[in-house]
Amino acid sequence: MNVDKLAPLPAVGELLSRYALFHTEDMDEARRRGADVFCDHRLDFAGSSRAFDARMCFRRLRGIGVGRMTYGGDVAIEPGRLEGFTLVQMPLSGHERIRSGDELIDSHPGVASVISPHRPVSMQHRAGTEKLFIRIDSAVLERHCIQHLGHDLRDPIDFRLDMSLDSTAGQRWMRAVQWLIAEAGQDDESGGAMALSSPLLAAQIEQMLISMLLMCQPNTYSERLRGESPSIAPAFVKRIEQYIEEHADEALTIVDLAEHAGVSSRSLFAGFRRFRDTTPMAYLKEVRLKRVHESLQRACDGNTTVTREALRWGFSHLGHFTAAYKRRFGESPSETLARG
């Protein structure tokens, strides 16, 4: 299976269309039919609008399932704990706010979500949002992880909630997903959808996707899966991450960070590249963007402005700041402030 050479994806409206599961304007029906794929959950309107036009396409493939869905309106989804499966959601359009345990993210076409089964989860699905999703049975995921590690799991597999689709790892994951969707959309004569029914190929696809997720998305066992010692090399990286979190409002340089870590700038760069797939200054920028986002979300009076918060967290070029903010959170800073 060559996932680096992709067949062109069909138009959004045609993705997985041969596997249409339901199309309804009845919320109770959508909840019941959705529960058959996911789990029992609460589904309610999240605003004054009563627009609702739910659609789902879904194909089961051994221990995984691939699908596409939209609710066609502003809705709140409360499944509690997923328990039996891990859910990866990749928005094609729109915006979702997802809380899992203590983590809260804004998911949009640049940021996917990876929801672990052991933490309570809730979602705010905005009108105009449509997404692809991959559902992975917990037992199958754990079995594959055990095979990779060579020993039983001591703790549940817990994934980082947000997946940046602009990162190298995120792009690798999306190539695998796009390959599967493109194959599923092929006519039977070309060996696509019919070939996916082959037990041998289905087993290979299941293994490929699960292995890709375990290696691409940070999780409880990432360091062991890469064959790295979790207690030696990353120590200075974690020290710098904590230092950045505590001093993000200060004028930090790479020299400052290297001196605090007690390593050379070169070693600091190498450590962040190897263990975090980023650079120290890019990590600092990400922390500062999150701080601006949190400040704008908490704004409850007329004294907070986008410019003031941007400058407070070190963003002097407002045009570049706004572009980076929109890529990260799927909306402009002023839109976040308006909802604060």
Side-chain angles (χ1 to χ4, degrees), residues 8-313:
L9 279 177
V12 170
E14 299 174 2
L15 290 174
L16 300 170
S17 57
R18 67 167 64 238
Y19 306 117
L21 190 62
F22 66 81
H23 178 197
T24 181
E25 296 179 3
D26 184 292
M27 183 172 284
D28 286 336
E29 181 184 359
R31 183 190 56 77
R32 289 194 305 271
R33 300 296 299 275
D36 292 338
V37 173
F38 302 120
C39 59
D40 195 19
H41 58 281
R42 292 181 57 188
L43 184 62
D44 297 296
F45 289 109
S48 58
S49 173
R50 290 299 181 261
F52 189 81
D53 186 18
R55 305 165 185 255
M56 182 186 291
C57 301
F58 182 71
R59 172 72 191 274
R60 183 83 178 184
L61 201 67
R62 288 172 58 94
I64 65 175
V66 56
R68 166 181 141 241
M69 73 174 303
T70 180
Y71 288 102
D74 294 330
V75 298
I77 307 125
E78 299 278 351
R81 289 178 173 85
L82 302 184
E83 298 294 354
F85 62 97
T86 293
L87 183 63
V88 187
Q89 301 182 113
M90 300 144 283
L92 298 165
S93 61
H95 172 93
E96 283 189 316
R97 178 158 294 174
I98 300 172
R99 182 180 293 278
S100 179
D102 295 330
E103 293 185 81
L104 175 66
I105 68 166
D106 289 301
S107 181
H108 53 84
V111 177
S113 61
V114 184
I115 302 174
S116 301
H118 311 289
R119 292 190 286 174
V121 62
S122 61
M123 299 176 238
Q124 296 284 329
H125 178 101
R126 303 290 184 181
T129 301
E130 188 156 16
K131 58 190 176 183
L132 298 172
F133 65 86
I134 300 288
R135 181 197 189 281
I136 304 176
D137 289 351
S138 293
V140 177
L141 176 64
E142 291 169 0
R143 185 173 71 247
H144 279 271
C145 190
I146 289 170
Q147 289 172 348
H148 284 295
L149 292 170
H151 59 73
D152 289 339
L153 304 184
R154 299 178 180 87
D155 300 294
I157 304 171
D158 193 23
F159 288 97
R160 175 174 167 173
L161 182 58
D162 61 314
M163 176 194 286
S164 171
L165 299 181
D166 295 328
S167 68
T168 301
Q171 291 173 5
R172 189 176 298 130
W173 164 256
M174 283 306 300
R175 282 197 295 271
V177 173
Q178 289 174 3
W179 175 86
L180 174 57
I181 291 172
E183 287 297 303
Q186 297 293 318
D187 293 333
D188 290 347
E189 291 79 4
S190 66
M194 182 179 289
L196 295 185
S197 299
S198 160
L200 178 59
L201 184 55
Q204 292 176 332
I205 292 170
E206 177 187 81
Q207 180 180 1
M208 180 268 291
L209 271 181
I210 292 176
S211 298
M212 193 72 72
L213 182 63
L214 287 169
M215 298 307 295
C216 289
Q217 183 66 0
N219 63 79
T220 314
Y221 296 97
S222 290
E223 290 163 332
R224 295 180 180 88
L225 288 167
R226 291 194 297 261
E228 299 163 356
S229 170
S231 60
I232 302 175
F236 69 88
V237 174
K238 294 177 180 178
R239 191 180 310 132
I240 290 304
E241 286 178 327
Q242 182 177 352
Y243 186 77
I244 287 174
E245 293 284 350
E246 294 172 353
H247 300 272
D249 58 338
E250 300 177 12
L252 301 178
T253 68
I254 190 66
V255 173
D256 297 328
L257 298 178
E259 287 181 349
H260 180 78
V263 299
S264 67
S265 298
R266 181 178 179 180
S267 296
L268 188 58
F269 271 111
F272 267 79
R273 278 296 186 195
R274 182 179 181 188
F275 295 101
R276 297 296 185 259
D277 193 27
T278 188
T279 68
M281 300 313 288
Y283 183 84
L284 173 60
K285 179 181 177 181
E286 176 70 11
V287 170
R288 287 173 169 171
L289 280 172
K290 288 181 179 179
R291 297 292 170 81
V292 175
H293 184 63
E294 292 166 359
S295 296
L296 297 179
Q297 283 183 311
R298 291 195 304 266
C300 56
D301 55 43
N303 296 325
T304 301
T305 67
V306 171
T307 299
R308 179 180 299 172
E309 292 303 317
L311 293 175
R312 173 189 173 194
W313 292 103

